């Protein structure tokens, strides 16, 4: 027993030394004066990171019909290329699952490190897809991308930095700028593909280089989040007795991050629990974000199929129409995402979420009709962007802003991770149903399948949001204790 006590004493001494070094480093970093106008140029850099994140998240969808025909049609046939690509693409859940274990580390080691690593990882995933000549390497690239994109560390920076009364507006403005930045994808499609879809690899490689540059900019020019620094410094200054008492709290609000603590806190907290259930049903509409490019491509391809072309040739002929439409996609998406911030700060979070969800339904219906009846591509692209932008806006209000404003700082990143994990249970019902139906009915029914699943999910989500949750407008995000609305 004396040996065990001595061993424990040595461990405690090493931990104290390690924490003392960390405390000194963090206090020195916190004491450094900010450059004049730091908030503005930091937001500018976060916009660049956000653009890289949005491009990485959306390029797979915006190049969907091209990649399915280039990589999957030779193996599975033209009529089922998208369906088989979607089925095999479920391997990406490996990356998403591992990401959920990795993300909470930012509550312990800080935001900046993971902001840089995640952006570099996105670029690596894009590089793998850009150089692939076969399906297995493509799938590895998809797994890598799905490991690094769910973390949204740039969103955490905005939410922890912006003043409370302007938080939603600043968040929506940054997100809108990032969405406009997605115009790089159709620009590269037009430059390197045009009428010949074989240039798709260059599109991926240029986007990979952009992500790498964005990561280097963040590495040298972004400071650690002050909210994280204050919370971590306060914890490190505690005595062992105070830390033990904090850890023992049964409500979970005192834990210093960690996935298990976050899940317990999430499921016990009434406000967060109902936000989780509402968001889970909202995620049924994620099919809109997964298949809009293929919906457009198949819609515009109908006119060429009716002239006697086979499906592969028709899709290639439709590609310039899709590229034109994608130029206005970011504009429609950014307009709706920008609007949600002003609505959320003026009216409240819940009214804004209701408005955005109604916009999803209306704009997607018009987009689907326009794509199938040969409306002008720019109009179709704008409507498509409005539908996707409205969906993401509603999701950001519920799953990012309201969750962040209901969670204490020391658990915020971990709870956002736990929230994403648990919501997958609900989302999986809609996504799996869509995948099964797509593989049964074929690529041409993708639009009808999406609409039939998204509409019920949106309806249930809104009912629960209106009746079971509290608004979080004007909450002081640094003072949230976890007891609010419990």
């Amino acid at each position: 027993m004396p040996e065990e006590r001595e061993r424990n004493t040595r461990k405690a001494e090493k931990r104290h030394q390690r924490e003392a070094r960390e405390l000194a480093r963090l206090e020195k970093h916190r004491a450094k004066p900010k450059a004049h106008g730091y908030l503005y140029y930091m937001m500018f850099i976060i916009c660049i990171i956000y653009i890289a994140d949005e491009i990485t998240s959306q390029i797979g969808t915006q190049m969907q019909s091209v990649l399915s025909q280039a990589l999957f049609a030779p193996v599975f046939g033209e009529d089922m290329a998208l369906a088989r690509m979607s089925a095999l693409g479920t391997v990406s859940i490996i990356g998403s699952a591992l990401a959920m274990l990795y993300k909470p580390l930012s509550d312990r080691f800080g935001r900046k490190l993971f902001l840089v690593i995640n952006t570099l990882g996105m670029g690596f995933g894009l590089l793998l897809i850009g150089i692939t000549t076969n399906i297995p390497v493509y799938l590895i690239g998809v797994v890598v991308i799905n490991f690094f994109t769910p973390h949204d560390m740039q969103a955490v920076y905005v939410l922890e930095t912006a003043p409370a009364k302007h938080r939603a507006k600043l968040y929506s403005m940054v997100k809108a700028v990032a969405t406009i930045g997605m115009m790089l994808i159709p620009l590269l499609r037009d430059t390197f593909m045009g009428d010949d879809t074989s240039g798709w690899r260059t599109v991926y490689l240029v986007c990979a280089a952009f992500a790498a540059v964005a990561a280097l900019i963040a590495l040298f020019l972004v400071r650690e989040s002050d909210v994280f620094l204050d919370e971590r410094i306060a914890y490190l200054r505690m005595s062992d007795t105070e830390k033990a008492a904090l850890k023992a709290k049964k409500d979970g609000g005192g834990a210093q991050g960690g996935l298990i603590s976050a899940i317990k806190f999430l499921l016990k907290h009434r406000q967060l629990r109902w936000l989780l259930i509402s968001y889970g049903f909202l995620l049924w509409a994620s099919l809109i974000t997964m298949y809009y490019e293929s919906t457009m491509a198949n819609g515009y391809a109908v006119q060429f199929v009716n002239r006697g072309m086979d499906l592969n040739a028709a899709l290639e002929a439709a590609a310039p129409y899709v590229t034109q439409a994608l130029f206005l996609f970011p504009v429609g998406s950014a307009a709706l995402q920008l609007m949600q911030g002003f609505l959320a700060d003026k009216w409240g979070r819940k009214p804004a979420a209701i408005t955005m969800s109604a916009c999803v339904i209306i704009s997607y219906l018009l987009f689907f009709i326009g794509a199938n009846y040969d409306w002008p591509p720019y109009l179709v692209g704008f409507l498509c962007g409005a539908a996707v932008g409205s969906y993401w806006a509603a999701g950001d209000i519920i799953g990012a802003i309201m969750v962040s404003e209901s969670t204490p700082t020391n658990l915020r990143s971990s709870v956002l991770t736990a929230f994403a994990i648990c919501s997958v249970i609900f989302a999986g019902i809609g996504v799996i149903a869509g995948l099964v139906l797509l593989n049964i009915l074929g690529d041409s029914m993708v639009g009808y399948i999406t609409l039939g699943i998204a509409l019920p999910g949106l309806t249930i989500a809104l009912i629960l949001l209106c009746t079971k949750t509290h608004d979080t407008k004007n909450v002081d995000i640094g003072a949230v204790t976890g007891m609010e609305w419990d």
Side-chain angles (χ1 to χ4, degrees):
M1 291 304 168
E3 292 180 358
E4 185 177 350
R5 282 196 300 270
E6 184 179 349
R7 188 164 53 251
N8 291 336
T9 300
R10 286 198 300 269
K11 286 182 179 179
E13 289 176 352
K14 288 181 179 179
R15 177 171 57 80
H16 291 153
Q17 292 171 1
R18 185 175 63 250
E19 290 184 348
R21 290 193 297 271
E22 181 184 358
L23 178 60
R25 177 176 58 82
L26 295 181
E27 287 179 329
K28 181 179 178 181
H29 186 74
R30 184 70 175 90
K32 286 182 180 178
K34 292 186 177 71
H36 181 68
Y38 171 75
L39 177 62
Y40 299 103
Y41 90 75
M42 190 273 287
M43 288 294 177
F44 174 74
I45 295 169
I46 292 299
C47 283
I48 295 175
I49 296 290
Y50 229 136
I51 290 172
D53 181 271
E54 289 292 307
I55 287 173
T56 307
S57 300
Q58 293 294 318
I59 191 171
T61 302
Q62 296 202 3
M63 300 288 287
Q64 194 174 63
S65 64
V66 176
L67 263 67
S68 64
Q69 293 300 309
L71 296 176
F72 289 82
V75 179
F76 299 106
E78 298 169 0
D79 295 341
M80 300 300 291
L82 172 62
R84 299 298 184 260
M85 179 180 178
S86 300
L88 290 174
T90 56
V91 71
S92 65
I93 197 172
I94 297 172
S96 300
L98 293 174
M100 297 304 105
L101 300 175
Y102 157 83
K103 182 178 178 180
L105 295 175
S106 67
D107 281 335
R108 168 62 180 82
F109 297 103
R111 316 309 195 201
K112 178 178 176 178
L113 174 65
F114 295 93
L115 182 73
V116 174
I117 292 174
N118 294 345
T119 310
L120 283 173
M122 295 175 202
F124 180 61
L126 293 172
L127 175 65
L128 285 176
I129 295 177
I131 63 175
T132 186
T133 57
N134 56 66
I135 293 174
V137 176
Y138 164 80
L139 294 176
I140 292 172
V142 170
V143 170
V144 171
I145 286 174
N146 276 269
F147 178 80
F148 288 108
T149 53
H151 310 290
D152 288 337
M153 199 53 61
Q154 66 278 2
V156 174
Y157 257 95
V158 175
L159 293 170
E160 290 189 346
T161 305
K165 65 179 180 178
H166 300 304
R167 187 177 298 128
K169 286 194 289 287
L170 276 173
Y171 181 80
S172 65
M173 290 169 67
V174 170
K175 190 73 182 287
V177 171
T179 303
I180 290 293
M182 283 196 301
M183 202 175 286
L184 179 64
I185 300 174
L187 178 63
L188 293 173
R189 281 180 59 125
D190 190 49
T191 303
F192 296 110
M193 285 172 44
D195 295 329
D196 182 8
T197 58
S198 63
W200 66 267
R201 298 180 191 282
T202 308
V203 177
Y204 267 88
L205 294 176
V206 173
C207 291
F210 180 85
V213 172
L216 292 175
I217 291 173
L219 176 63
F220 293 107
L221 297 179
V222 173
R223 286 170 57 110
E224 183 58 82
S225 158
D226 285 347
V227 172
F228 167 78
L229 288 172
D230 292 341
E231 178 68 31
R232 185 66 184 167
I233 288 171
Y235 175 78
L236 291 172
R237 284 174 175 169
M238 290 180 179
S239 66
D240 286 348
T241 303
E242 290 173 321
K243 290 175 183 176
L246 191 65
K247 186 176 181 180
K249 283 186 176 181
K250 298 300 182 182
D251 61 10
Q256 290 294 299
L259 187 58
I260 302 301
S261 297
I263 291 176
K264 289 179 180 178
F265 184 73
L266 173 62
L267 297 179
K268 287 181 179 180
H269 194 282
R270 184 182 184 278
Q271 166 86 345
L272 291 172
R273 187 169 62 248
W274 282 110
L275 285 174
L276 168 66
I277 297 171
S278 301
Y279 186 72
F281 283 110
L282 180 77
L283 288 180
W284 286 17
S286 64
L287 291 175
I288 290 173
T289 71
M290 296 166 62
Y291 295 117
Y292 63 82
E293 192 267 354
S294 292
T295 300
M296 274 193 280
N298 280 280
Y300 279 112
V302 169
Q303 58 183 304
F304 299 105
V305 172
N306 292 338
R307 296 175 194 171
M309 286 188 181
D310 61 54
L311 181 59
N312 189 30
L315 287 170
E316 186 151 345
Y321 291 82
V322 176
T323 298
Q324 288 181 44
L326 291 177
F327 271 110
L328 266 290
F329 172 89
V331 177
S333 184
L336 272 295
Q337 292 186 70
L338 181 61
M339 183 190 303
Q340 65 96 355
F342 290 88
L343 294 180
D345 277 342
K346 186 173 181 60
W347 294 353
R349 307 328 191 197
K350 292 204 295 185
I354 293 168
T355 302
M356 291 298 102
S357 298
C359 288
V360 177
I361 297 169
I362 295 170
S363 52
Y364 185 78
L365 280 170
L366 291 173
F367 153 69
F368 181 67
I369 294 169
N372 283 274
Y373 287 91
D374 200 23
W375 287 9
Y378 292 120
L379 174 59
V380 171
F382 181 86
L383 291 169
C384 178
V388 173
S390 301
Y391 167 79
W392 286 123
D396 284 342
I397 294 171
I398 300 171
I401 296 175
M402 293 184 73
V403 172
S404 294
E405 292 176 339
S406 302
T407 309
T409 300
N410 52 297
L411 275 173
R412 187 165 297 122
S413 184
S414 299
V415 165
L416 287 169
T417 302
F419 193 89
I421 293 174
C422 296
S423 63
V424 167
I425 297 172
F426 295 94
I429 298 172
V431 173
I432 292 172
L435 184 59
V436 170
L437 290 172
L438 183 62
N439 276 272
I440 293 173
L441 301 177
D443 295 358
S444 62
M445 295 297 292
V446 64
Y448 296 101
I449 293 169
T450 299
L451 187 62
I453 293 173
L455 184 58
L458 286 166
T459 303
I460 296 170
L462 288 177
I463 292 173
L464 294 176
L465 184 70
C466 290
T467 59
K468 298 293 186 179
T469 67
H470 294 269
D471 211 331
T472 58
K473 182 183 176 184
N474 293 328
V475 164
D476 182 355
I477 199 168
V480 174
T481 64
M483 301 300 293
E484 297 86 352
W485 311 300
D486 196 356

